[in-house]
Amino acid sequence: MESNFAFWLRSLESVNSIATLGPKGTSSEAAAEFLASLMGRNLEITLFDSFEQACSHTEQNNHSVLLVANAYRDVDYFYMNPCINLAGSFHYSPPYYYICCESVEKVCHRLKLKKRITIATHRAPSSRLHDMIESLKQGGWEFDLSRTEIVYTESTSEAAKGVKNGINDFCLINEYAADLYQLDVISNPLIIEMVWTVFVKTNPQSKEHKQCQLKSVQL
């Protein structure tokens, strides 16, 4: 086992890929790149529409690890899943988060007309959204919370894509997604400290593997 103050990982010599939440531009993708650097070799990063889909992939693949953010609201599912085992954890602060829009001019016009607006966000950083809005109001932005709807998405990239496509007015996303979708940053950065957890497919000789086989039969 490798260890220092920042991370611990079981021996994972046979691993050649990391399964985590996509699409491109998510904090999970950035964390996967960091995990590959911790493991000291190039690994394929496979992105899925949900952590659960990434988990299903790892359940069927001896050479893949599952990477999950501990801030994920349903993270207990992975710890209790008999088909995968805990293989490590590490601290990684994801890219800074910002409130962004597709066009400052357009959203300022909507705010002045007192139109109803939407802000798309992944649930993990959403608890900090109110503070960021208050900060924008102090900076002169005409936000009215009574005319603001929060739209929850499965990933930061999905939130960015919704704004780029004109579905939502604002989004709370990381700087990678802002660059990828060419959105305008309007807020100060939100810095998040986070722990990430690594799982592997259960060993065929383990008691958990037998439980997983029983689970598969029941399904």
Side-chain angles (χ1 to χ4, degrees):
M1 172 167 45
E2 304 173 13
S3 65
N4 65 17
F5 70 94
F7 71 97
W8 72 270
L9 291 172
R10 298 187 190 279
S11 178
L12 300 171
E13 287 85 357
S14 65
V15 167
N16 59 25
S17 67
I18 302 170
T20 194
L21 180 66
K24 289 192 66 64
T26 61
S27 295
S28 298
E29 182 188 24
E33 293 172 352
F34 181 73
L35 173 58
S37 71
L38 289 179
M39 295 174 66
R41 59 185 189 272
N42 292 325
L43 298 174
E44 180 184 359
I45 297 173
T46 310
L47 302 175
F48 295 85
D49 290 338
S50 69
F51 284 122
E52 287 79 6
Q53 289 182 18
C55 180
S56 295
H57 172 79
T58 299
E59 288 177 14
Q60 304 300 321
N61 193 327
N62 290 319
H63 303 292
S64 173
V65 295
L66 168 66
L67 177 62
V68 179
N70 259 25
Y72 180 54
R73 67 185 184 279
D74 295 324
V75 71
D76 59 302
Y77 168 79
F78 308 104
Y79 285 100
M80 302 303 163
N81 186 343
C83 299
I84 55 175
N85 280 340
L86 181 66
S89 65
F90 59 93
H91 167 268
Y92 173 72
S93 182
Y96 292 171
Y97 277 71
Y98 297 90
I99 294 180
C100 300
C101 63
E102 198 275 329
S103 165
V104 170
E105 182 180 357
K106 288 180 182 178
V107 293
C108 282
H109 182 64
R110 285 184 60 81
L111 289 171
K112 287 179 180 178
L113 292 177
K114 301 188 182 303
K115 297 283 189 179
R116 186 165 187 80
I117 63 164
T118 55
I119 305 177
T121 177
H122 186 264
R123 287 186 180 272
S126 63
S127 61
R128 300 291 302 277
L129 185 55
H130 184 272
D131 292 340
M132 298 187 75
I133 292 173
E134 288 300 317
S135 177
L136 286 174
K137 288 169 65 177
Q138 293 173 13
W141 284 83
E142 300 178 21
F143 277 96
D144 182 345
L145 290 177
S146 67
R147 289 192 294 272
T148 301
E149 178 185 357
I150 308 303
V151 178
Y152 294 107
T153 62
E154 291 299 321
S155 70
T156 52
S157 289
E158 185 181 334
K161 190 183 299 184
V163 170
K164 187 67 176 180
N165 293 337
I167 299 171
N168 295 304
D169 300 297
F170 298 91
C171 55
L172 176 58
I173 58 173
N174 68 47
E175 58 188 323
Y176 285 6
D179 288 342
L180 182 63
Y181 291 95
Q182 299 180 314
L183 299 180
D184 290 339
V185 171
I186 66 169
S187 72
N188 291 326
L190 170 62
I191 303 171
I192 303 173
E193 299 294 325
M194 195 177 295
V195 172
W196 301 77
T197 307
V198 182
F199 298 91
V200 293
K201 181 180 178 181
T202 302
N203 187 309
Q205 306 304 318
S206 69
K207 177 178 67 176
E208 288 80 4
H209 179 70
K210 295 177 182 178
Q211 292 175 345
C212 183
Q213 289 179 318
L214 177 60
K215 169 187 165 185
S216 300
V217 170
Q218 290 173 337
L219 291 176

